Amino acid sequence: MKVDTSNREACRACQLRPRCTKTTRHVSRPENEAVLDRMAARLAARPEILDQRRTCVEHPAGSIKQWMHQGAFLMRRPGCVRGEFSLTALPTNIRRAISLVGAPGLIAAAKGVRHTPIAVAGDPQGVS
């Protein structure tokens, strides 16, 4: 949301008023401009944090969109986009869980049962 602001007293006293406008000048600013300014200051103080975000967040999100052949979100409004992304991320989370604990471990976790690792020949501790 944009907020229009004006300062009539400053416009009346301004020496540039004849070259600027015949009425009061209105300036549009984003409603959350202070938040954006604080974010820019934090980024200027620690520029390496953006690289960390790129590796932690943006790569998995981009991979998910590529795997699903999804260029942009089809829904609009934050709640709908959040739901669409949750449905898109669900298969990725399941895939990661299977790679970490295996399919039997994931099924056991979904049932609320403790999964016992399966012993593999030559491995005395077993593998899950």
Side-chain angles (χ1 to χ4, degrees):
M1 174 181 278
K2 295 220 174 198
V3 177
D4 290 332
T5 58
S6 62
N7 188 342
R8 293 178 187 262
E9 292 78 25
C11 280
R12 287 185 189 132
C14 181
Q15 297 175 355
L16 300 176
R17 184 172 180 192
R19 292 190 289 164
C20 181
T21 180
K22 296 190 187 307
T23 61
T24 307
R25 184 174 182 185
H26 296 278
V27 179
S28 294
R29 298 277 185 226
E31 181 182 25
N32 57 352
E33 186 175 21
V35 174
L36 296 174
D37 290 341
R38 287 194 308 268
M39 182 186 70
R42 283 194 316 264
L43 185 59
R46 294 181 54 203
E48 72 279 356
I49 205 163
L50 187 58
D51 293 334
Q52 183 180 7
R53 178 196 160 104
R54 284 187 183 124
T55 59
C56 294
V57 176
E58 294 179 8
H59 176 69
S63 297
I64 290 169
K65 288 172 71 173
Q66 184 180 12
W67 293 332
M68 298 297 188
H69 303 289
Q70 181 180 4
F73 290 110
L74 301 175
M75 306 293 286
R76 298 290 175 248
R77 297 190 309 259
C80 296
V81 170
R82 192 175 309 119
E84 184 179 350
F85 183 79
S86 295
L87 288 173
T88 303
L90 181 64
T92 303
N93 292 338
I94 292 172
R95 183 185 309 173
R96 289 187 69 202
I98 289 173
S99 71
L100 292 172
V101 298
L106 182 61
I107 293 169
K111 290 181 178 178
V113 179
R114 183 170 169 85
H115 174 67
T116 311
I118 301 169
V120 177
D123 183 12
Q125 296 186 5
V127 176
S128 58

